[in-house]
Amino acid sequence: MLPTLRRKLEALADRRDELERLLADPAVAGDQDRFRALSREFSRLEPLATAMADQARARADLEAAQEMRNDPELRDLAEEEIAAAQARLDALEEQLMALLVPRDARDDGGLYLEIRAGTGGDEAAIFAGDLLRMYTRYAERQGWRVEIESANPGEHGGFREVIARIEGEGAYARLKFESGTHRVQRVPETESQGRIHTSAATVAIIPIEEEGEPVEINPTDLRVDTFRSSGAGGQHVNKTDSAVRITHLPTGIVVESQTERSQHANRDKAMKRLRATIAGMEAERRAAATAASRKLQVGSGDRSQRIRTYNYPQGRITDHRVEGLTLYDLPNVLEGNIDPLVDRLSREHQADTLAQLTRDS
């Protein structure tokens, strides 16, 4: 490990010790917001401190085993213990390097999932519905809460556009690589000659804005329209203009909400999503400026980038951002079993970030 990386680890371990002292301070314990923030930071650093302590013990074991080499009767045992201690040290160094990867503060939070039909007409809308079902099933397995914020159904099923709010521990961390264009290759039900069609839908993953860090929006930059809700909700939806559509004029971002019964509640939900979208755009701009060479632009929202192909005739799903990332398990993936994809993308991002960290050291 490079000396500069070692010094970074030691600084983080020192910070963990400092946090332990602060959390024991009655003055800190009396400030709930500060105590909660410091507790979260402490829990993130605790695995690093544990790994460094394990590394120190493994290094001591290695030194003891090397000294045993001098005793002819213990030489064979010493060689075994040296090999075991060295393997342990190598594993711990890899673990510590992974813990050095800068953590995205948004990883623990939730997200807005936006899916829009692209090229392909009705088939694209149906595919957008398939994607929503895939992510919803995955969220259910994780114990996350999914709430549809707005939906524009397709004429023959699926959605022209659907936006959902997903809340749960680590939701953004698991789904942040899903932004981009998803392409499907299959025979539509309406195709009489059995020809394979290619359609597409775009996915955008927008982290929910953390409380306490509001994005300032000038009210004069907004155009607010109200209209009558459609969809579930009983007779109320057709009697009052409770739905809200907000346009942010400087960026052209349009958000709407119609799931609540009151105009005020819908406006509040729409504004939260607008703030999250603007905050996400700013974060993407900064990330693109500092990591333009990275293969995985986290949550870039670049919907022009084709990231994945779902090929029904072959039962194949291919992620184009990672060489060799092809699974012949399409039905299972569409049922929400996307961990093999998520895990591989997370590892690639971690390796990419570590490589950059090493070059900068």
Side-chain angles (χ1 to χ4, degrees), residues 308-327:
R308 195 174 293 157
T309 294
Y310 304 72
N311 185 293
Y312 275 66
Q314 299 176 15
R316 169 177 58 83
I317 180 168
T318 299
D319 197 292
H320 304 288
R321 296 165 293 180
V322 179
E323 185 177 356
L325 183 45
T326 294
L327 304 175

Side-chain angles (χ1 to χ4, degrees), residues 143-281:
W144 301 334
R145 187 168 70 90
V146 180
E147 178 185 357
I148 302 299
E149 293 250 321
S150 66
N152 180 9
E155 292 182 9
H156 298 281
F159 299 94
R160 288 294 172 194
E161 175 184 275
V162 60
I163 298 169
R165 181 184 175 107
I166 300 178
E167 292 186 278
E169 184 70 23
Y172 180 70
R174 297 298 288 170
L175 294 178
K176 61 185 177 181
F177 299 111
E178 294 300 303
S179 288
T181 296
H182 296 240
R183 184 178 68 169
V184 63
Q185 296 172 329
R186 63 186 176 188
V187 179
E189 294 181 4
T190 56
E191 172 56 57
S192 59
Q193 299 183 26
R195 293 176 298 186
I196 296 174
H197 286 223
T198 298
S199 305
T202 62
V203 172
I205 302 294
I206 301 169
I208 293 175
E209 182 190 32
E210 289 289 329
E211 291 186 10
E213 301 178 8
V215 173
E216 294 296 329
I217 297 177
N218 190 335
T220 61
D221 290 337
L222 301 178
R223 186 178 71 237
V224 181
D225 301 307
T226 59
F227 57 98
R228 292 188 179 182
S229 300
S230 60
Q235 294 180 348
H236 162 81
V237 297
N238 293 319
K239 290 187 175 181
T240 62
D241 290 342
S242 60
V244 173
R245 180 183 299 111
I246 301 176
T247 304
H248 186 242
L249 300 175
T251 61
I253 296 171
V254 179
V255 295
E256 64 179 50
S257 177
Q258 56 178 300
T259 57
E260 302 297 324
R261 286 187 172 271
S262 76
Q263 187 182 117
H264 177 77
N266 278 321
R267 181 187 175 102
D268 183 59
K269 292 182 73 171
M271 284 299 297
K272 286 181 179 178
R273 185 150 57 87
L274 177 61
R275 288 192 177 94
T277 303
I278 293 174
M281 288 177 62

Side-chain angles (χ1 to χ4, degrees), residues 101 295 345-357:
V101 174
K295 291 178 291 184
L345 291 166
S346 296
R347 289 195 299 270
E348 288 288 329
H349 174 66
Q350 184 181 86
D352 190 32
T353 306
L354 276 174
Q356 184 65 46
L357 189 65

Side-chain angles (χ1 to χ4, degrees), residues 6 49-63 89 92 96:
R6 168 59 60 179
T50 300
M52 290 190 71
D54 290 343
Q55 188 185 51
R57 285 191 290 270
R59 192 175 287 114
D61 292 342
L62 178 61
E63 292 173 357
L89 280 171
L92 284 166
L96 284 167

